[in-house]
Amino acid sequence: MPDSERCDVMFHLGGEHMQPNLILARLLRAPRNVVVVSPQTREAGGRLALAARRGRGGFPAEVECAEIDQPHDPVAAAECVRRLIAREAGRRIVVNITGGTKPMAFAALSNAQGAGLPCAYLDVEERRLHLLDGSGWHSRDISAEPPPLDIDDFVDLSGYSFESGGCGSWAESGKPDREARAETTARLWKNRTLLQREQGEMVKIAEKQKGVGSVGGVDKRFFAEKAKDGARRLLLNGREEAGAGEWPDFWNYLAGTWLEEYAYLKLRPLVGEGGLTDLRIDVGLRAKDRPGRLENANAKPTLNQLDLVFTDGWRLWIVECKAGRCSQEHVQKLENLVRRVGGMHGRGCLLLVGEVDGRGSNGFAAALRRTQESRSGVFCFWVRGRQPGAKRASDIVPKVKPATGEFGKALRQWIMDLESGWCCELET
């Protein structure tokens, strides 16, 4: 960022989601930031202060909140901005008009112009910075700037905290066995139809206290067993998977976790060279405990388990992998998490594997239709089989884009350009 665009202090207008505020503070290297908040956005301002102090890229910044009672009152907003401008006289000031209510933006813009101060507006989707100074508006591409946000920033700004999975590799998470079974994971993907036939039974066995049981048969292409003595065995196309005895999550893995790990393996090469800057698997997020919101004072806040989370440094993506049943409720939960954690620019992705059940028991048809809602924030990769007469996504939902190749390759080609409401039919 040119030195001429940097500042001593930046004024921000606080809204429910403050990712754009943090991005601009880092892009313009503002060491001090003052955010105008209301009683409704006071907590969001505090979360912005937390994320800014953490200092991604070695640049910690301070955030102060200036509160107004009525964010829709332009007179009150104008008085607050005037007071702040007078207090910071003599310093290089930039007024960020990206967030807040429209009356707040009008008040900030008019006061900045009256004081001869530059204003900044950030277009996150297009990665463009718009600056207004004495000579008019200037716009430029900022996509080549260092990625301003990581996953920790999105979590800090949302008010959630990591319960688990707040790291970028399986070794760091204490689950190195996942890396050791990567080849098995790839073979399960190629033979996924074999697992899907037994998926329901494997879920039932996994829910048992000791998980003793078996599915398939040694004379069939797929066989899995956990014996009473704890010994585990997996045969795939007659091949013994030697490492299966070491998996502590044997049944959960075969019932669906393998799909999460497959998607992670396909996304991992995209970190750095493929446009992604941060990728996490099996993330547990815990919401902040707010007094008075829980009926039981001793109850713990809800734990949200996310299969995959990644960012390109500007937007957050949450990926949910469903090797079995998927319902409208699953899609709705993903929508809510995308909105709360990713903000208005966040995206959700469903990775569905399996055929549409004509009886509707796996919920795929309803889930696909839910993704078509204009404000869902979620789109879908549906990996369909090649069985004769199998339904296509176009038989269920009207908007379908075809995609070919492996998930990671298709993701690179499609995911950054797709909007919510689209379904990609992934043929492999």
Side-chain angles (χ1 to χ4, degrees):
M1 188 66 64
D3 289 338
S4 60
E5 294 180 358
R6 296 184 181 182
C7 58
D8 300 319
V9 59
M10 182 178 291
F11 298 153
H12 302 266
L13 307 177
E16 182 180 355
H17 302 290
M18 295 208 183
Q19 291 92 348
N21 305 82
L22 184 58
I23 290 174
L24 265 184
R26 287 179 175 165
L27 286 177
L28 301 186
R29 307 291 284 185
R32 290 186 58 244
N33 297 268
V34 182
V35 55
V36 180
V37 298
S38 66
Q40 293 76 28
T41 59
R42 183 190 305 133
E43 287 191 14
R47 297 195 292 266
L48 175 63
L50 173 66
R53 283 196 300 268
R54 189 169 62 82
R56 172 174 167 78
F59 178 69
E62 292 300 320
V63 174
E64 170 194 347
C65 291
E67 187 168 326
I68 58 175
D69 293 331
Q70 299 296 332
H72 296 283
D73 182 354
V75 176
E79 177 57 33
C80 180
V81 173
R82 277 196 297 268
R83 185 172 64 252
L84 294 173
I85 290 175
R87 189 188 72 179
E88 303 294 338
R91 295 184 172 88
R92 291 186 301 173
I93 301 172
V94 172
V95 179
N96 174 13
I97 59 173
T98 307
T101 63
K102 289 183 179 179
M104 290 169 66
F106 292 148
L109 180 62
S110 61
N111 277 273
Q113 286 185 306
L117 300 177
C119 293
Y121 179 83
L122 177 67
D123 186 335
V124 176
E125 295 284 346
E126 298 297 329
R127 298 187 193 178
R128 297 197 69 83
L129 175 63
H130 305 280
L131 287 170
L132 174 65
D133 56 23
S135 62
W137 282 102
H138 310 277
S139 176
R140 67 184 184 83
D141 183 6
I142 55 174
S143 58
E145 295 291 331
L149 303 180
D150 59 19
I151 292 174
D152 290 342
D153 289 321
F154 286 99
V155 173
D156 285 343
L157 290 171
S158 69
Y160 286 80
S161 61
F162 285 109
E163 179 74 11
S164 62
C167 50
S169 72
W170 291 329
E172 292 174 2
S173 67
K175 298 179 179 179
D177 54 290
R178 288 180 155 186
E179 191 72 44
R181 67 190 182 196
E183 292 184 4
T184 298
T185 298
R187 283 191 287 272
L188 290 177
W189 168 263
K190 292 180 180 179
N191 295 275
R192 54 190 176 275
T193 54
L194 300 180
L195 278 77
Q196 288 155 17
R197 296 168 190 167
E198 310 291 350
Q199 202 268 346
E201 185 62 27
M202 289 191 290
V203 170
K204 292 179 182 178
I205 298 176
E207 292 173 348
K208 294 180 180 179
Q209 184 176 3
K210 295 184 179 181
V212 174
S214 65
V215 297
V218 293
D219 58 339
K220 298 180 180 180
R221 296 175 61 194
F222 178 75
F223 175 72
E225 178 185 41
K226 181 179 178 182
K228 292 182 179 180
D229 61 0
R232 306 170 184 88
R233 188 183 182 197
L234 172 63
L235 275 75
L236 188 60
N237 281 326
R239 171 177 175 161
E240 188 89 33
E241 298 293 335
E246 306 299 323
W247 304 338
D249 59 343
F250 181 78
W251 287 118
N252 287 328
Y253 169 70
L254 294 176
T257 302
W258 69 270
L259 182 58
E260 303 168 23
E261 297 184 12
Y262 173 81
Y264 174 81
L265 289 168
K266 289 299 176 181
L267 292 175
R268 192 165 59 181
L270 302 184
V271 177
E273 60 90 14
L276 306 187
T277 58
D278 197 359
L279 168 67
R280 316 278 177 92
I281 183 173
D282 195 20
V283 175
L285 294 183
R286 193 171 291 282
K288 181 180 178 182
D289 187 357
R290 298 182 182 179
R293 291 193 61 181
L294 298 174
E295 295 181 4
N296 181 357
N298 297 319
K300 293 182 178 181
T302 302
L303 176 64
N304 297 283
Q305 205 69 28
L306 314 180
D307 294 341
L308 294 166
V309 182
F310 65 84
T311 181
D312 58 1
W314 301 83
R315 296 185 294 175
L316 188 78
W317 296 80
I318 299 175
V319 181
E320 287 293 296
C321 304
K322 298 296 181 183
R325 189 176 183 277
C326 183
S327 66
Q328 292 189 70
E329 288 72 25
H330 290 132
V331 182
Q332 185 174 0
K333 180 181 178 181
L334 180 56
E335 293 169 5
N336 293 336
L337 283 169
V338 167
R339 184 176 63 253
R340 293 170 185 168
V341 185
M344 63 182 299
H345 301 292
R347 295 288 185 270
C349 173
L350 283 172
L351 175 58
L352 304 181
V353 173
E355 299 307 314
V356 174
D357 191 326
R359 299 165 297 175
S361 61
N362 64 9
F364 275 19
L368 289 172
R369 293 189 185 100
R370 174 77 185 193
T371 64
Q372 296 298 291
E373 297 184 8
S374 60
R375 297 185 180 181
S376 69
V378 174
F379 74 90
C380 175
F381 275 96
W382 176 27
V383 186
R384 68 180 185 88
R386 295 177 176 176
Q387 288 85 345
K391 287 189 176 182
R392 301 181 65 91
S394 55
D395 296 330
I396 305 167
V397 290
K399 296 180 181 180
V400 177
K401 285 182 178 288
T404 58
E406 298 286 2
F407 175 64
K409 182 178 180 181
L411 186 69
R412 180 204 301 264
Q413 182 179 0
W414 292 100
I415 201 169
M416 297 303 173
D417 297 324
L418 284 175
E419 298 299 328
S420 62
W422 287 98
C423 172
C424 281
E425 191 168 42
L426 184 63
E427 298 179 350
T428 59

